[in-house]
Amino acid sequence: MAGNNPEDQKPSPNERIKGESNFLRGTIAQDLKDDLTGGFTSDNFQLIRFHGMYQQDDRDIRGERAKQKLEPMHNVMLRARMPGGVITPKQWLSVEKFAEEHSTYGSVRLTTRQTFQYHGVLKPKMKLMHQTLASVGIDSIATAGDVNRNVLCTPNPVESEVHQQAWEWAVKISEHLLPKTHAYAEIWLDGEKVESTEEPVLGPKYLPRKFKTTVVIPPQNDIDVHANDLNFVAIAENGKLVGFNVLVGGGLAMTHGDKNTFPRKADDFGFITLDKTLAVAEAVVTTQRDWGNRSNRKNAKTKYTLEAVGVDAFRAEVEKRADAKFAESRPYEFTDRGDRIGWVEGIDKKHHLTLFIENGRILDFPNKPLKTGLRKIAEVHKGDFRMTANQNLIIAGVATEDKDEIERLAREHGLIEDELTAQRQNSMACVSLPTCPLAMAEAERMLPQSVTSLEDILTKYGLKDEHIVYRVTGCPNGCGRAMLAEVGLVGKGPGKYNLHLGGNRAGTRIPRMYRENIGEEEIMSILDDLISRWASERQPNEAFGDFVIRSEIILPVVNSAEDFYDEPSYSI
Ligand code: SRM
Ligand code: SF4
């Protein structure tokens, strides 16, 4: 396996940065006092990520500022830690107020990992940002950097008792795997200085790379297990959670032109009872900590460690460290991933309204004052909110007598649209330009129009109410999870994408590249041809991704480490 022998390889520069950071402090506090630059210097640029922030600048105005000999307009994006995406109305009001008053873009951006991001917060407001969040019980510890990130959980609140229990486990796992350093409180909250001397789980150099965990309740795979390093699949008996099947080693990122990188599905390790959950979580993390590649960051995630050492060896090590034995996995099935937009009733007779938020961008748009609408809802709502991994928002726990008022407010502010198609509901894009420094092509800003084109094609072939899981990602890092879509676009350069086909509705098959480096017009023309065939040749209820595989328009990816880069079969 490429570069996976840590013995004979030089550690990557990030290893020195972490090791010399004095448990993630670096000199961030000094940088904050430096008003000569809006940015962070040297190692701190990396270290602020462990505190949940990324240094960015607006790429739309970068060239203009350079012409004027100005440094880029440095600012930070902040990503909060919200296990399972649960946020109270009080928290929401505070989060939204800060965005309105102190962030350049004024938006609250829901992410594909059940949390929110601020974009464009300038240095003088950074401490205020953390202190405002802390005042309502929110932090941003370990939402970025080489640590376990925000823990996802199937969000539909009280559809069954299992949902509540699963969410409680997501919170426990998140807490258990958090860094123990006091750096965050010290720097941002002016907390008392407490020398950190050890990180019992993560170690002094933290993990080799980012690490992602979920708790999922089948048959929904809305949190997309195969994008994650570690997944706990909830197994219930008589309505009670009894344990988890554990899946390890998923991940979607790749690098154009580097065949040693590829998206990979997670492997089934087996079933554990609830009492072993935290021990197994810790053992998977520490095995990856000790066995992961610390030289080549492109091969450092758990998925590459599994490829390097083999699934059996990794699983045996986890059993040893956790003092647990994996039993045979219990049967379960994933059927779909979309959020159920609209009202559903929970077992407690409360009502839950899932709102479709295009691209997760909460802002007051012309004729669609989403941000104001949510503020008004938060002012009267007595339950809570749940952010979903599809960038949507659930207004959860509404009493029957409050339902009409919540619906009225949502409709008045464009949060409910009767004409919303199934296609738009099942389409998603990453942030990309103008804030993402790694973006190669547009994603969020091109999605709405591109979905309209797709809707027109479906209508033309009599498939108006059908949908294709359609996802766009501005570069091969895959934040919009295009590598688990039926049709996935992966940014290659300005206006150009690789077109991937053949994922499935349940998110258990990786799509293969069908055409490379093509523009939107060509993409839509190819999809027009394929959708016309799908309309006339499909079997009853056959999904588009299954159709293109059955018709041998594209070969399925069976084992991505071996066949992801094989030539596709073009049959048109
Ligand atoms: Fe991501 C880096 C946005 C989910 C894989 N991701 C970034 C950065 C921070 C760019 C950077 O490093 O400077 C992007 C910031 C853009 C911006 O301006 O906001 C960014 N990623 C996002 C979000 C906001 C996309 C969205 O539209 O919602 C998602 C935030 C999740 C969260 O709340 O934690 C987001 N990123 C993902 C996912 C999907 C998932 O986890 O379900 C993936 C693919 C799954 C995976 O990890 O394999 C993903 N992001 C990456 C990678 C590639 C990692 C790798 O294995 O190589 C990077 C780049 C890196 O880490 O070097 C990256
Ligand atoms: Fe940025 Fe690429 Fe992630 Fe999109 S996929 S947010 S362009 S890093």
Side-chain angles (χ1 to χ4, degrees), residues 13 16 43 76 108 181 213 249 260 274 307 342 376 383 443 468 471:
R16 180 199 59 73
D43 293 358
V76 292
V108 178
T181 172
T213 304
N260 286 320
L274 290 180
E307 290 295 331
K376 293 203 167 156
I468 295 170
R471 294 175 173 181

Side-chain angles (χ1 to χ4, degrees), residues 419-434:
E419 318 74 58
L420 183 68
T421 61
Q423 183 53 57
R424 203 165 289 274
Q425 288 176 33
N426 286 282
S427 303
M428 186 161 87
C430 70
V431 176
S432 198
L433 291 157

Side-chain angles (χ1 to χ4, degrees), residues 49 54 56 77 79 109-115 117 119 143 149-150 152 209-210 212 223-224 227-228 250-254 297 301 303 391 429-432 435-438 477-481:
R49 297 185 175 189
Y54 288 83
Q56 298 188 324
M77 171 267 274
R79 187 183 287 161
R109 173 57 157 78
L110 307 184
T111 77
T112 51
R113 295 192 68 78
Q114 288 189 299
T115 185
Q117 287 183 176
H119 287 98
T143 54
R149 305 279 184 98
N150 195 41
L152 306 191
R209 201 65 166 90
K210 54 170 63 167
K212 298 181 173 178
I223 50 74
D224 257 331
N228 291 275
L252 304 183
M254 57 189 164
R297 289 180 65 77
K301 285 202 76 188
K303 59 180 178 177
Q391 304 168 330
C430 70
V431 176
S432 198
T435 53
C436 179
L438 308 178
N477 286 322
C479 306
R481 295 198 293 266

Side-chain angles (χ1 to χ4, degrees), residues 50-344:
F50 292 79
H51 301 245
M53 291 178 300
Y54 288 83
Q55 182 169 316
Q56 298 188 324
D57 69 288
D58 187 327
R59 291 177 60 181
D60 284 349
I61 58 169
R62 196 186 272 176
E64 192 46 45
R65 285 183 67 89
K67 266 194 230 151
Q68 295 174 26
K69 306 263 180 294
L70 294 169
E71 76 167 11
M73 181 60 99
H74 293 307
N75 59 62
V76 292
M77 171 267 274
L78 172 125
R79 187 183 287 161
R81 185 173 67 94
M82 310 247 65
V86 178
I87 181 165
T88 66
K90 183 175 169 216
Q91 289 174 326
W92 184 269
L93 289 171
S94 176
V95 163
E96 182 264 332
K97 186 164 183 284
F98 184 90
E100 173 78 24
E101 292 175 357
H102 302 297
S103 78
T104 316
Y105 299 89
S107 66
V108 178
R109 173 57 157 78
L110 307 184
T111 77
T112 51
R113 295 192 68 78
Q114 288 189 299
T115 185
F116 67 86
Q117 287 183 176
Y118 291 138
H119 287 98
V121 178
L122 302 176
K123 210 190 237 183
K125 298 294 174 195
M126 286 177 201
K127 268 183 131 167
L128 177 67
M129 168 173 68
H130 289 285
Q131 293 178 358
T132 306
L133 292 176
S135 72
V136 288
I138 299 176
D139 64 63
S140 63
I141 304 171
T143 54
D146 299 342
V147 282
N148 180 57
R149 305 279 184 98
N150 195 41
V151 177
L152 306 191
C153 181
T154 304
N156 206 324
V158 275
E159 200 178 339
S160 71
E161 278 174 35
V162 178
H163 284 77
Q164 178 64 20
Q165 295 162 12
W167 175 69
E168 285 165 11
W169 277 107
V171 175
K172 279 188 229 169
I173 295 165
S174 171
E175 299 291 329
H176 189 73
L177 299 177
L178 269 189
K180 301 293 178 268
T181 172
H182 288 80
Y184 181 88
E186 222 175 276
I187 298 170
W188 306 108
L189 311 180
D190 296 327
E192 199 187 324
K193 196 164 166 38
V194 182
E195 269 322 315
S196 321
T197 51
E198 61 168 358
E199 283 284 9
V201 178
L202 300 169
K205 292 194 177 173
Y206 297 86
L207 301 182
R209 201 65 166 90
K210 54 170 63 167
F211 190 94
K212 298 181 173 178
T213 304
T214 76
V215 180
V216 62
I217 307 170
Q220 299 291 317
N221 183 20
D222 43 8
I223 50 74
D224 257 331
V225 289
H226 294 295
N228 291 275
D229 299 69
L230 172 59
N231 303 278
F232 292 94
V233 182
I235 302 296
E237 275 172 12
N238 305 320
K240 287 253 179 302
L241 188 66
V242 293
F244 296 106
N245 290 344
V246 178
L247 304 181
V248 181
L252 304 183
M254 57 189 164
T255 302
H256 289 314
D258 179 354
K259 292 190 177 175
N260 286 320
T261 65
F262 43 83
R264 183 187 192 279
K265 280 172 49 181
D267 288 298
D268 179 8
F269 271 31
F271 173 82
I272 50 155
T273 46
L274 290 180
D275 55 317
K276 289 293 176 192
T277 308
L278 294 182
V280 165
E282 181 173 326
V284 174
V285 166
T286 62
T287 304
Q288 161 62 4
R289 177 195 71 195
D290 298 341
W291 290 10
N293 186 329
R294 288 186 183 260
S295 307
N296 177 1
R297 289 180 65 77
K298 288 201 181 302
N299 282 131
K301 285 202 76 188
T302 316
K303 59 180 178 177
Y304 300 114
T305 314
L306 281 170
E307 290 295 331
V309 304
V311 176
D312 290 346
F314 198 113
R315 189 201 286 114
E317 182 68 15
V318 171
E319 287 183 328
K320 193 168 91 194
R321 292 184 186 211
D323 191 19
K325 202 93 200 122
F326 287 106
E328 196 178 320
S329 267
R330 302 280 177 92
Y332 70 97
E333 195 193 1
F334 289 131
T335 53
D336 67 283
R337 286 175 291 169
D339 293 333
R340 280 158 293 175
I341 305 298
W343 288 102
V344 291

